[in-house]
Amino acid sequence: MMFLSLRTTSFRNLKDDEIFTGGKDVFLVGENGQGKTNFLEALYFCSYASSFRGARDGEMARNGEKSFSAEVKVQDNARKTIGQILVKFEKGKKSVLIDGKRAEDRRELLSVSPCIVFCHEDMEFVSGSPDRRRWFFDQVLSLYDPVYLDDLRCFRKVLKSRNTVLRDNSLYRLSGNPEPMLDVLDSQFIRYGINLMEKRETAARLFSEIFSSLYREVADIDNITVKYLPSWKETGRIPDFLKERRAADMAAGISLSGPHRDRYIFLRGSVEFTGSASTGQRRLLALLLRLAQARRYLEMTGKKPALLLDDVLLEMDGGKRRRFLSILPDYDQAFYTFLPEEPFENYRKSDTLVYYVKGGTVT
């Protein structure tokens, strides 16, 4: 998939304009704070209808504005079909139009304009809380498995309802018996939870094979793997386990176990790796997680996502840069951001598009 152009209106600090982006490699060069990352965020917004920096919708509008939009023209892998995606935010609401038709579900974007971003925030997948790693692996699965995304959404709805019952009972000591309602919710809680666990287990094992190979190739360190640790240990005993833990859940006013508390850890051999890894090794872990995500997506769908690489080469030495670039998955298009003093000319090809970004203007 290739982004042919990007048009933004009142998006961050970007000048209202349409920029041609129809090249295999696109470089965005400029000092910090000039709009390079905002440009990538606009592309990402057209793929997921959300920000990769965790910003709320209203925060992406230019200062003083209450609405904004981002629009792309895209071309599929076969170079035959040209489509148009418009995501806009106005009057406090977000809407997505694909070829002029309103999308009923944002997941429709995933089949039209898949992209994978590499950014500083990815360090949270390594050094951050367990929920950030769960978020990453949920995205890995959701990109190629729409049924998983459906189950994840259903599980979250049931979890929200279950927590409401538990919280209300804990806070207000309601006179009614919550047990029958919890029995009904638990049957759905277990069903969707087991579906997630089974797919997470398989995906983590296959993902780890790709990831381990990449880490060895770039860093020359063997046996770095990803391990999935489910909150529910024995699938056959989950109904009994939830019954046994119900009193604790009710006292806490929240569901203390389930896939929403699953963990993923990084191992070297059989020893947890993250705690002993250097800052550089953790940075590399984060980068290679995204590489493995791109490879896994290509392997499962046969489609090539666009790659958005935000300053990811900045902290690498020359050798690691070359090895990293050499193992990028096959792609139709990649966007890179560079500071002016970086040796971006060393990576430029004859057909590379180079844009300079200053004060939100892209030239």
Side-chain angles (χ1 to χ4, degrees):
M1 191 279 301
M2 178 178 287
F3 292 109
L4 297 179
S5 68
L6 169 67
R7 178 186 293 276
T8 58
T9 303
S10 300
F11 191 97
R12 298 284 195 183
N13 77 328
L14 296 176
K15 176 185 176 183
D16 294 351
D17 202 356
E18 182 173 17
I19 304 298
F20 171 75
T21 58
K24 184 177 177 68
D25 295 289
V26 182
F27 290 1
L28 300 165
V29 182
E31 298 290 353
N32 290 328
Q34 299 305 304
K36 304 188 305 293
T37 300
N38 293 341
F39 193 95
L40 297 188
E41 186 179 30
L43 293 172
Y44 187 93
F45 193 68
C46 290
S47 291
Y48 295 92
S50 63
S51 165
F52 64 76
R53 294 189 280 189
R56 297 176 180 175
D57 292 336
E59 296 172 346
M60 287 184 280
R62 185 182 300 143
N63 289 340
E65 302 288 345
K66 295 183 178 180
S67 62
F68 68 90
S69 66
E71 181 179 359
V72 291
K73 293 177 183 175
V74 296
Q75 192 170 42
D76 70 4
N77 295 59
R79 298 289 190 269
K80 294 178 180 178
T81 304
I82 295 177
Q84 189 174 35
I85 297 169
L86 171 63
V87 186
K88 56 184 179 179
F89 180 81
E90 54 187 0
K91 296 182 180 179
K93 294 184 178 180
K94 179 166 52 186
S95 59
V96 178
L97 284 81
I98 300 176
D99 293 333
K101 297 180 181 179
R102 184 179 294 273
E104 298 300 324
D105 193 319
R106 283 188 291 168
R107 76 175 187 179
E108 294 176 42
L109 289 172
L110 299 180
S111 62
V112 180
S113 58
C115 75
I116 291 175
V117 66
F118 299 69
C119 62
H120 291 295
E121 287 78 6
D122 294 346
M123 277 290 283
E124 294 178 7
F125 305 146
V126 178
S127 303
S129 60
D131 68 289
R132 293 303 295 151
R133 283 187 284 283
R134 281 195 302 275
W135 182 93
F136 171 75
F137 284 101
D138 283 342
Q139 187 188 68
V140 169
L141 275 155
S142 297
L143 273 172
Y144 63 79
D145 188 344
V147 176
Y148 179 86
L149 182 56
D150 285 342
D151 285 340
L152 181 62
R153 288 173 167 178
C154 291
F155 175 82
R156 287 172 174 169
K157 288 180 181 177
V158 175
L159 174 64
K160 183 177 180 180
S161 297
R162 190 177 194 270
N163 283 344
T164 297
V165 173
L166 293 170
R167 184 192 67 239
D168 288 352
N169 182 75
S170 175
L171 289 177
Y172 307 118
R173 302 297 178 186
L174 302 179
S175 57
N177 181 8
E179 298 280 347
M181 176 63 73
L182 288 173
D183 286 341
V184 172
L185 290 172
D186 279 0
S187 65
Q188 302 173 59
F189 192 55
I190 293 168
R191 175 159 60 94
Y192 292 122
I194 289 176
N195 290 347
L196 297 181
M197 289 168 58
E198 290 175 347
K199 291 190 175 182
R200 285 176 177 178
E201 177 68 40
T202 301
R205 175 173 48 80
L206 296 174
F207 185 94
S208 186
E209 293 173 3
I210 298 172
F211 179 77
S212 181
S213 174
L214 288 171
Y215 206 92
R216 180 174 61 251
E217 192 168 348
V218 174
D220 200 26
I221 297 179
D222 278 325
N223 212 15
I224 303 295
T225 57
V226 180
K227 185 174 180 61
Y228 167 61
L229 301 175
S231 171
W232 292 334
K233 306 301 181 185
E234 300 177 55
T235 304
R237 285 203 72 252
I238 293 175
D240 293 335
F241 177 77
L242 285 179
K243 284 281 189 183
E244 294 164 5
R245 296 296 303 272
R246 184 171 287 180
D249 285 357
M250 291 175 68
I254 196 170
S255 302
L256 297 173
S257 69
H260 60 295
R261 294 182 179 268
D262 288 350
R263 294 190 301 130
Y264 295 85
I265 61 173
F266 302 100
L267 301 174
R268 185 177 186 185
S270 58
V271 180
E272 201 276 328
F273 179 62
T274 308
S276 61
S278 67
T279 300
Q281 288 172 330
R282 291 196 297 271
R283 167 64 63 190
L284 188 58
L285 275 172
L287 286 174
L288 296 183
L289 281 174
R290 288 299 198 181
L291 273 186
Q293 180 185 20
R295 286 197 177 186
R296 181 71 177 143
Y297 176 81
L298 177 61
E299 183 181 88
M300 293 301 294
T301 67
K303 298 178 181 179
K304 304 172 188 176
L307 308 180
L308 312 179
L309 301 103
D310 189 23
D311 285 345
V312 297
L313 303 179
L314 186 60
E315 298 178 13
M316 291 186 187
D317 60 40
K320 279 193 173 65
R321 283 189 180 200
R322 287 189 293 273
R323 287 196 292 275
F324 177 79
L325 291 172
S326 72
I327 62 171
L328 282 177
D330 191 16
Y331 61 87
D332 278 339
Q333 189 173 39
F335 292 78
Y336 303 79
T337 64
F338 292 100
L339 293 172
E341 60 268 26
E342 288 187 85
F344 61 89
E345 290 287 354
N346 295 345
Y347 316 115
R348 183 177 182 175
K349 301 169 187 173
S350 60
D351 58 349
T352 299
L353 293 176
V354 180
Y355 283 106
Y356 294 88
V357 185
K358 185 174 182 179
T361 299
V362 182
T363 57

